[in-house]
Amino acid sequence: MLLLRPAALVTPMRAAAAAAAPRPGAGMGGGILRGRDPPGFLRIPSLSSAPPQPVVAAKEPFPVELKAGKKYAWCACGHSRSQPFCDGAHKKAAPGISPLRFTPQEDKTAWLCGCKRTRSPPYCDGTHKEEAVQSTRLPPRP
């Protein structure tokens, strides 16, 4: 059996810490090391914190008159009280989800997704017809 002295463990631990250290430009929350951890301590991030998922705001799309050149922010989280547009509710209710900003090239009537499951956001693709969406309980609206 191979016994390593504590000093022999320092180099591999420092190498692991250096590999896990945040890199410039890696973004917020990219670091694994904490300033208050003892030297040689490597903190492994939790795998249980899944990114926030959008909630179904409506089981059908919203018909909207879009104006060419106007900027819109489509609610992607489902928490906005101004559906289908963003009112900033994601900042507290779903901080990992941002609205989809878009500017139409022409005036038109569009069907904007209300279930937030579309594969062609912000436009409805019929996903709301699936059982997973239709069986979802809608959040209470004031």
Side-chain angles (χ1 to χ4, degrees), residues 86-128:
C86 178
D87 67 0
H90 65 277
K91 293 174 186 173
K92 286 188 177 182
I97 301 176
S98 297
L100 177 87
R101 291 170 173 75
F102 69 102
T103 306
Q105 300 299 310
E106 60 187 17
D107 290 353
K108 64 180 177 179
T109 300
W111 292 89
L112 300 185
C113 178
C115 73
K116 312 304 175 189
R117 305 281 197 273
T118 182
R119 290 175 289 281
S120 58
Y123 304 103
C124 176
D125 67 356
T127 303
H128 65 276

Side-chain angles (χ1 to χ4, degrees), residues 6-141:
L9 293 174
V10 172
T11 301
M13 292 176 80
R14 282 188 183 150
R23 295 175 309 281
M28 295 288 296
I32 296 176
L33 295 177
R34 306 288 190 257
R36 288 181 231 109
D37 291 337
F41 184 84
L42 179 63
R43 184 178 300 268
I44 306 298
S46 172
L47 298 177
S48 65
S49 60
Q53 296 296 313
V55 298
V56 174
K59 296 181 182 183
E60 65 278 331
F62 296 93
V64 179
E65 289 295 325
L66 300 176
K67 302 294 179 197
K70 182 176 178 185
K71 295 178 182 179
Y72 294 94
W74 174 74
C75 171
C77 73
H79 294 283
S80 173
R81 292 187 178 163
S82 302
Q83 291 294 333
F85 301 111
C86 178
D87 67 0
H90 65 277
K91 293 174 186 173
K92 286 188 177 182
I97 301 176
S98 297
L100 177 87
R101 291 170 173 75
F102 69 102
T103 306
Q105 300 299 310
E106 60 187 17
D107 290 353
K108 64 180 177 179
T109 300
W111 292 89
L112 300 185
C113 178
C115 73
K116 312 304 175 189
R117 305 281 197 273
T118 182
R119 290 175 289 281
S120 58
Y123 304 103
C124 176
D125 67 356
T127 303
H128 65 276
K129 297 175 187 173
E130 294 176 2
E131 181 61 29
V133 173
Q134 290 300 313
S135 64
T136 300
R137 205 170 187 182
L138 294 177
R141 299 286 176 195

